[in-house]
């Protein structure tokens, strides 16, 4: 039976999980529809999800339709958990974007639709909650056309809005023909010649939906079931099924990792090609962007071996079928599988032959907080627990400061902080609090800098020669490492030690922030060949080891960075602010004091609409001031847009957690002491 891997996406509280329950009930997978409020839904399995009534982790559940089998992936709606959504996008064949008929288009709706369009994922839109008081149909449709700016095809109209009797009346009207004809010149010509048969209209609808050119819109209610049968019909008839050759080379992508009851890693993967079998030895490794570059660039190397690669034997396998996951001996292309036995597996890894690369579609985390252990909480246990949480969410970075005995985590928002706190308590028995949340900046080189230290010359205490040049690269390009020396000039392990240490050292620039958007070239290399004495073993005092290159590289790199110079950049959000027009005079001075830059001003009835940019560090203050400035009528949308140089106040500094290669004497004392321990 053909397979469809379907994502359900929405802004928070749009009714996404309730729609998932209704779809499972309609397909006969569950006998009773679960309630988000009661904590009885199928896909919200975490205790915290049931308590909070929000989806935190993506979940997979399968159900059959008349002609296809659907793997449905329920994703979080809260923007703090956007990383969960990000990982799912790369494994989807199609999506349903849920919009509330009451709240209409939200900031998260716009972020999601922009991403779905960029990735060309065929998407249906379901306007939910037509039974709720305040529900709107044509107004929300107009809002979507204006705010989402995408071609929409209304699949019918709603009747009885705001009542339990609200229902969906299917039918393609003139608006559908207009939207489809805009994308199809032949259809437009046929329309002008005298009319378009409905059969041709529906063929065009299917073709344009599958190519992500248009987006059919359904109205309904997940609670009452109105409009859901029509949505199910659209899922089956309009979205493309999974492609892939089960006899081809194995190729898959890992989009989720969790730990089983015994602490073992369990990987969720989408198979794009080939067949995976129990007891297969499977290669896996980096198929993603390097999260060590702030989520902004792909990892590059010219040393002959790109990224991390290893293999493992599949000890168990399960597939999703009829509402649950069941053990299987094998699974073919198109399937979503759970895999046991791959101990070193990470989110974003490619299984078998690298196919689709894992990419970051959303902004990286821009906030950071120090985790403070509570009474009786062991610091080592806390660090281990946080490291395991970061395994499951690679966009949450864990940073350990040995000198201060502190561990910090990078986050998207305050709700995510609460979830980390509750997860540590519930799953690990560790009680923590947090310090004040701070903004995460980055550093970018502003010029070119070169430094070199030679083996056995000057004050170089390491048996190694390392020369490095740092060049700025375009914003968003990440970090690239390349060789300007012959690969055979010394053992490969020494080159690898230099590259790995370069990437690690760039985690803390001249001001302590992560350095990105640069190219580091190795310009000089040299080593002392292996030496030994008669009747004795290897003499480390006369022969280069990896330690020499790992020890010397930070000193050379930070000197190159000094000569290049770096500029600290802060995250900047794009904002859209709608408020009564007569409050504009009070708003503009406050926006100026917060560093916000309005770029466009418009009117929408009696309201004014401002769009522009604001430093991420000032967003919270703007949110707090807005109600008082706008009589409680102001609406603010913000989303990460870019990094910009810090131009106000003092340059922010971040405490270092390494051996501080900025201070040569301190660094050498620390490294020497560590080696002697």
């Amino acid at each position: 039976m053909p397979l469809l891997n379907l994502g359900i996406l929405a802004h928070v509280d749009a009714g996404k999980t309730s729609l998932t329950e209704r779809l499972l009930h309609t397909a006969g997978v569950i006998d009773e529809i679960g309630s988000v409020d009661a904590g009885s839904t199928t896909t919200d399995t975490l205790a915290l999800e049931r308590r909070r009534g929000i989806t935190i982790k993506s979940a997979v559940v399968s159900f059959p339709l008349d002609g296809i089998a659907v793997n449905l992936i329920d994703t979080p709606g809260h923007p703090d958990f956007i990383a969960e959504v990000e990982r799912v996008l790369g494994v989807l064949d199609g999506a349903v974007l849920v919009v509330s008929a009451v709240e209409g288009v939200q900031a998260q709706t716009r972020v999601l639709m922009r991403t779905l369009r960029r990735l060309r994922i065929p998407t249906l839109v379901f306007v939910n909650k037509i039974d709720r008081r305040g529900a709107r149909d044509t107004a929300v449709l107009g809002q979507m056309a204006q705010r989402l700016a995408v071609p929409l095809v209304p699949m019918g109209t709603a009747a009885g809005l705001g009542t339990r009797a609200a229902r969906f009346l299917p039918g393609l009207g003139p608006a559908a023909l207009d939207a489809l004809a805009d994308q199809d010149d032949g259809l437009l010509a046929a329309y002008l010649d005298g009319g378009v048969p409905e059969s041709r209209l529906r063929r065009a609808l299917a073709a344009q939906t599958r190519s992500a050119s248009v987006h059919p819109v359904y109205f309904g209610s997940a609670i009452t079931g109105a409009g859901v049968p029509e949505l199910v019909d659209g899922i089956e008839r309009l979205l493309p099924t999974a492609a892939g050759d089960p006899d081809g080379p194995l190729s898959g992508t890992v989009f989720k990792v969790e730990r089983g009851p015994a602490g073992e890693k369990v990987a969720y993967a989408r198979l794009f090609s080939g067949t995976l079998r129990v007891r297969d030895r499977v290669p896996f490794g980096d198929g993603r962007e390097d999260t060590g570059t702030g989520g902004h660039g792909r990892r590059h190397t010219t040393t002959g071996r790109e990224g991390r690669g290893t293999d493992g034997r599949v000890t168990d396998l399960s597939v999703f079928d009829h509402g649950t996951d069941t053990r299987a001996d094998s699974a073919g292309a198109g399937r979503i599988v759970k895999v046991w036995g791959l101990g070193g597996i990470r989110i974003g890894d490619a299984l078998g032959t690298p196919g689709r690369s894992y990419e970051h579609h959303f902004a990286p985390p821009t906030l950071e907080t120090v985790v403070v252990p509570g009474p009786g909480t062991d610091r080592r246990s806390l660090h281990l627990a946080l490291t395991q949480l970061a395994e499951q969410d690679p966009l949450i970075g864990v940073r350990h400061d040995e000198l201060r005995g502190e561990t910090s985590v990078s986050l998207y928002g305050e709700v995510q902080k609460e979830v980390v706190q509750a997860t540590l308590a519930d799953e690990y028995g560790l009680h923590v609090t947090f310090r004040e949340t701070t903004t995460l900046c980055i550093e970018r080189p502003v010029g070119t800098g070169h430094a070199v230290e030679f083996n056995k010359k000057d004050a170089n205490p390491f048996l190694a020669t390392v020369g490095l040049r740092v060049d700025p690269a375009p914003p968003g390009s990440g970090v690239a490492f390349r060789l300007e020396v012959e690969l055979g000039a010394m053992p490969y392990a020494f080159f690898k030690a230099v590259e790995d240490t370069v990437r690690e050292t760039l985690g803390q620039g001249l001001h302590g922030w992560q350095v990105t958007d640069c190219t580091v070239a190795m310009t000089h290399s040299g080593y002392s060949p292996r030496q030994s004495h008669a009747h004795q073993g290897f003499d480390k005092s006369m022969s280069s080891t990896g330690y020499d290159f790992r020890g010397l590289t930070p000193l050379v790199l930070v000197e190159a960075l000094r000569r290049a110079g770096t500029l600290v950049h802060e995250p900047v959000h794009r904002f859209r602010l709608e408020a009564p027009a007569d409050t504009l005079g009070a708003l503009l001075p406050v926006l100026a004091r917060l560093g916000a830059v309005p770029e466009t001003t418009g009117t929408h009835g009696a309201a004014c609409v401002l769009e522009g940019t604001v430093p991420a560090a000032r967003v919270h203050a703007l949110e707090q001031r807005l109600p008082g400035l706008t009589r409680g009528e102001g609406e603010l949308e913000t989303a990460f847009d870019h990094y910009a140089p810090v131009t106000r106040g003092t340059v922010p500094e971040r405490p270092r957690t390494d051996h501080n290669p900025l201070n040569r004497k301190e660094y050498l004392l620390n490294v020497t002491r560590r080696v002697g321990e």
Side-chain angles (χ1 to χ4, degrees), residues 101-357:
V102 179
E103 290 87 5
V105 174
Q106 303 291 294
Q108 183 80 339
T109 317
R110 299 176 72 193
V111 170
L112 292 169
M113 179 56 90
R114 282 198 301 267
T115 308
L116 290 165
R117 292 282 292 177
R118 186 167 69 248
L119 299 177
R120 302 201 66 77
I121 296 174
T123 302
L124 311 181
V125 179
F126 186 72
V127 180
N128 191 26
K129 301 186 179 182
I130 64 170
D131 58 318
R132 297 284 183 90
R133 180 180 299 177
R136 302 161 296 156
D137 54 354
T138 55
V140 170
L141 191 62
Q143 187 187 48
M144 288 193 296
Q146 178 191 5
R147 302 277 290 279
L148 300 180
V150 298
L152 302 171
V153 179
M155 300 299 291
T157 58
L161 284 170
T163 70
R164 294 286 292 182
R167 63 194 187 279
F168 179 60
L169 305 176
L172 293 176
L177 179 58
D178 290 344
L180 293 169
D182 280 347
Q183 310 291 323
D184 186 336
D185 291 340
L187 198 64
L188 178 60
Y191 170 64
L192 295 175
D193 285 344
V196 178
E198 184 166 334
S199 59
R200 179 170 181 180
L201 198 63
R202 292 195 174 276
R203 286 198 302 273
L205 174 65
Q208 292 189 31
T209 302
R210 287 171 184 157
S211 66
S213 301
V214 300
H215 304 286
V217 180
Y218 299 83
F219 295 88
S221 168
I223 298 300
T224 67
V228 174
E230 291 80 8
L231 175 65
V232 169
D233 183 71
I235 290 171
E236 185 173 2
R237 298 181 184 277
L238 300 179
L239 295 179
T241 54
D245 180 8
D247 297 321
L250 178 67
S251 180
T253 299
V254 175
F255 66 93
K256 178 177 177 178
V257 173
E258 63 185 18
R259 290 198 176 257
E264 76 280 14
K265 281 189 178 181
V266 183
Y268 288 67
R270 161 74 189 268
L271 301 181
F272 293 101
S273 173
T275 298
L276 184 65
R277 299 175 179 83
V278 175
R279 293 183 294 278
D280 278 356
R281 181 161 286 280
V282 178
F284 60 87
D286 286 355
R288 65 190 187 288
E289 293 187 4
D290 180 15
T291 55
T293 64
H296 280 69
R298 192 175 306 283
R299 182 170 184 161
H300 295 289
T301 178
T302 55
T303 55
R305 303 181 190 179
E306 182 159 343
R308 174 186 59 86
T310 185
D311 60 18
R313 189 175 300 280
V314 176
T315 59
D316 213 343
L317 192 67
S318 69
V319 297
F320 295 89
D321 192 22
H322 284 78
T324 186
D325 58 298
T326 58
R327 290 296 197 267
D329 292 327
S330 64
R335 283 280 194 181
I336 289 178
V337 295
K338 290 173 68 174
V339 187
W340 284 260
L342 308 181
I345 202 78
R346 299 191 302 191
I347 290 169
D349 278 354
L351 297 182
T353 304
R356 302 187 189 183
S357 61

Side-chain angles (χ1 to χ4, degrees), residues 295-607:
H296 280 69
R298 192 175 306 283
R299 182 170 184 161
H300 295 289
T301 178
T302 55
T303 55
R305 303 181 190 179
E306 182 159 343
R308 174 186 59 86
T310 185
D311 60 18
R313 189 175 300 280
V314 176
T315 59
D316 213 343
L317 192 67
S318 69
V319 297
F320 295 89
D321 192 22
H322 284 78
T324 186
D325 58 298
T326 58
R327 290 296 197 267
D329 292 327
S330 64
R335 283 280 194 181
I336 289 178
V337 295
K338 290 173 68 174
V339 187
W340 284 260
L342 308 181
I345 202 78
R346 299 191 302 191
I347 290 169
D349 278 354
L351 297 182
T353 304
R356 302 187 189 183
S357 61
Y358 178 82
E359 298 178 352
H360 293 304
H361 312 300
F362 300 111
T366 57
L367 301 174
E368 185 175 54
T369 184
V370 174
V371 185
V372 180
T377 295
D378 178 67
R379 291 182 180 272
R380 291 184 180 178
S381 299
L382 175 59
H383 181 63
L384 177 61
L386 288 170
T387 302
Q388 290 187 0
L389 291 182
E391 282 179 355
Q392 299 171 32
D393 192 343
L395 292 189
I396 295 181
V398 174
R399 187 172 185 261
H400 186 61
D401 185 341
E402 291 185 8
L403 300 177
R404 298 169 183 82
E406 296 176 349
T407 300
S408 57
V409 293
S410 54
L411 303 165
Y412 281 94
E414 296 299 314
V415 173
Q416 194 177 17
K417 185 194 290 185
E418 295 173 27
V419 168
V420 170
Q421 185 179 40
T423 303
L424 289 171
D426 294 348
E427 297 185 14
Y428 297 91
L430 302 173
H431 299 280
V432 302
T433 57
F434 299 95
R435 289 191 194 155
E436 183 181 0
T437 301
T438 57
T439 303
L440 273 174
C441 298
I442 62 169
E443 292 182 49
R444 287 176 172 147
V446 294
T448 294
H450 179 254
V452 59
E453 295 211 21
F454 293 97
N455 187 4
K456 300 177 182 177
K457 286 189 178 180
D458 302 321
N460 178 8
F462 301 102
L463 295 179
T465 294
V466 174
L468 297 170
R469 188 181 68 250
V470 176
D471 295 299
S477 59
V479 174
F481 179 84
R482 59 192 180 89
L483 297 181
E484 292 184 358
V485 295
E486 291 294 330
L487 185 60
M490 63 181 186
Y492 170 78
F494 296 160
F495 286 117
K496 189 69 169 64
V498 171
E499 179 182 356
D500 289 347
T501 307
V502 162
R503 295 188 180 280
E504 181 181 348
T505 304
L506 288 176
Q508 301 181 76
L510 303 183
H511 300 278
W513 303 104
Q514 187 155 325
V515 181
T516 187
D517 299 334
C518 64
T519 299
V520 180
M522 188 171 184
T523 59
H524 296 75
S525 66
Y527 74 109
S528 295
R530 187 181 182 93
Q531 302 287 334
S532 60
H533 299 293
H535 310 297
Q536 294 182 10
F538 169 47
D539 187 349
K540 292 172 64 175
S541 67
M542 299 174 60
S543 312
S544 297
T545 65
Y547 155 76
D548 291 294
F549 288 91
R550 288 190 296 271
L552 180 59
T553 297
L555 290 173
V556 177
L557 182 57
V558 297
E559 183 58 32
L561 282 174
R562 269 200 189 98
R563 296 174 182 179
T566 66
L567 199 56
V568 175
H569 290 62
E570 64 180 337
V572 175
H573 283 214
R574 180 155 292 279
F575 74 85
R576 181 184 188 277
L577 197 163
E578 186 169 336
D582 62 354
T583 66
L584 188 60
L587 272 171
L588 289 176
V590 173
L591 290 173
R593 284 196 295 272
L594 293 175
V597 180
E599 296 173 352
T600 62
T601 305
T603 57
H604 184 63

